[in-house]
Amino acid sequence: MEKIDCRSLLETELSELCAEKGLSKFRGRQIFQWVEQKGIRDWREMSNISQADREKISQFLSLRPADLIREQKSKDGTRKYLFGLADGERIETVLMGYEKDRSRDRQTICISTQVGCPVGCLFCATGMEGFKRNLTVGEITGQVLDVLRILRQENPGSKITNIVFMGMGEPLFNYKAVLKAISILNSKNGQNIGMRRMTVSTSGVVPKIIQLAQDNPQVGLAVSLHSSRDEVRDKLVPINKKYPLASLMAACRTYSQITKRRVTFEFALNNTNTNKSEAQGLVNLLKGMMAHVNLIPVNPVQGSGVHRPTREEMLMFKKILEEAEIAVSFREEKGLDIDAACGQLRQRLECERA
Ligand code: SAH
Ligand code: SF4
């Protein structure tokens, strides 16, 4: 009999399963707490469950935490983890260090949702590698649990307060699993991370943006825009050919109407999109919308064909947005010294292995 991955189950599912297997229903909650709150890596850690029950549990549930392959620490506090999954695939998870002007209690984790990515954005190391497979629910929640476990070895009081689905992969192409992972991470007896502290980032899967607003209006949305012109965006973010800017912006407006929340637009400044007509185009797209723009200098990725603009060009771009009263922040990227851009660490290790 195939065992079920315990990290992929809701508390209610665990309780029902325990009842089905002749265990007390209460065991479901206990297991959920051990797995999703404390992040155990071995059934023997469940000290309030008898050995006989632990044995029974291990016959129908599997607990297969990821292996830590490498941890990198940046000077700015960012940490990057490369994890090995049960089938040998590798994924990256990034932990953002404390932000200078925010409360020191904030700890944001950036998690992956797929191995590789089918979208193939021009500047993205993950996209360059093509698509392997979707992550399971347990592999998504597991990144939070396994990183927390590492942090707690250093500081037992460690907590993760915010989650961004901005690691490897297109979260809205793994929609069901991402939604269930969000639900598990939000659970009171799990990590109890508020829905409003989770943000899903997408390259622009239009129908799923609208579905997300309907299914979970609490969770935040970031859209990787990167250009205000279809002919440029077609090249940078090829999914634009399927869902061009007009349909994407309409979906974002619908999202805001349903959720009453503003959308964050990511804009990776590079030599193809940092000019006056792009900035003016962006102003036109966002006028009257509940929006926030995040400008990020593109992270140099080997073989990408795009590079950074000058600082003057980037500041000129920002000024045009500010003058049009669009909320904008300029994010000097984190962890440059540890290849923290999406997919870069994995790419380098693949090269080392080859
Ligand atoms: N697939 C989703 C989420 C993962 S990518 C998406 O595209 O939104 C997370 C963010 O990193 C996206 O905004 C993406 O465009 C950006 N990104 C990828 N490679 C980058 C690079 N080399 N420099 C700057 N941003 C990059
Ligand atoms: Fe995929 Fe996002 Fe990378 Fe584009 S930027 S290839 S959508 S992971």
Side-chain angles (χ1 to χ4, degrees), residues 10 111 137 140-141 163 165 171 175-187 193-196 198-200 212 216 218-220:
L10 297 163
I111 61 180
V137 176
I140 298 172
T141 56
I163 301 179
F165 290 81
Y175 185 79
K176 256 180 78 179
V178 166
L179 230 61
K180 188 170 180 187
I182 288 174
S183 213
I184 292 173
L185 291 163
N186 173 249
S187 300
I193 298 171
M195 291 290 186
R196 286 176 165 263
M198 296 193 242
T199 300
V200 172
L212 180 68
N216 191 337
Q218 294 282 318
V219 77

Side-chain angles (χ1 to χ4, degrees), residues 59-204:
Q59 280 161 17
F60 63 90
L61 284 180
S62 66
L63 178 58
R64 288 187 304 184
D67 298 320
L68 178 66
I69 296 174
R70 194 176 280 194
E71 177 181 17
Q72 286 184 304
K73 294 181 186 176
S74 162
K75 287 190 223 91
D76 66 17
T78 304
R79 293 176 180 209
K80 181 153 181 162
Y81 303 90
L82 185 72
F83 288 114
L85 305 175
D87 63 354
E89 292 294 353
R90 295 169 166 202
I91 53 166
E92 295 175 7
T93 307
V94 176
L95 189 75
M96 262 80 88
Y98 298 118
E99 308 204 7
K100 275 188 224 123
D101 51 352
R102 293 216 173 97
S103 128
R104 282 182 66 85
D105 294 341
R106 190 184 170 106
Q107 189 80 271
T108 303
I109 193 172
C110 171
I111 61 180
S112 294
T113 55
Q114 297 183 314
V115 182
C117 179
V119 179
C121 298
L122 191 65
F123 47 82
C124 172
T126 304
M128 280 175 206
E129 301 209 3
F131 173 66
K132 289 266 178 57
R133 67 171 174 86
N134 277 332
L135 295 187
T136 64
V137 176
E139 287 167 340
I140 298 172
T141 56
Q143 295 167 66
V144 179
L145 303 176
D146 292 333
V147 168
L148 200 52
R149 179 92 176 192
I150 296 164
L151 295 180
R152 282 182 176 161
Q153 279 163 0
E154 291 171 22
N155 175 3
S158 298
K159 263 189 141 181
I160 286 170
T161 57
N162 295 63
I163 301 179
V164 291
F165 290 81
M166 282 190 193
M168 301 168 73
E170 170 47 60
L172 298 188
F173 279 159
N174 191 10
Y175 185 79
K176 256 180 78 179
V178 166
L179 230 61
K180 188 170 180 187
I182 288 174
S183 213
I184 292 173
L185 291 163
N186 173 249
S187 300
K188 221 173 64 241
N189 291 319
Q191 290 303 315
N192 196 17
I193 298 171
M195 291 290 186
R196 286 176 165 263
R197 291 174 177 269
M198 296 193 242
T199 300
V200 172
S201 176
T202 181
S203 55

Side-chain angles (χ1 to χ4, degrees), residues 185-246:
L185 291 163
N186 173 249
S187 300
K188 221 173 64 241
N189 291 319
Q191 290 303 315
N192 196 17
I193 298 171
M195 291 290 186
R196 286 176 165 263
R197 291 174 177 269
M198 296 193 242
T199 300
V200 172
S201 176
T202 181
S203 55
V205 188
V206 162
K208 294 291 181 204
I209 290 176
I210 296 166
Q211 200 181 334
L212 180 68
Q214 288 160 346
D215 291 343
N216 191 337
Q218 294 282 318
V219 77
L221 178 71
V223 171
S224 300
L225 201 61
H226 305 316
S227 174
S228 59
R229 298 162 61 198
D230 278 319
E231 65 273 24
V232 178
R233 195 166 190 268
D234 279 352
K235 296 202 181 80
L236 290 175
V237 188
I239 198 175
N240 194 67
K241 290 181 212 145
K242 185 158 187 198
Y243 303 113
L245 283 165

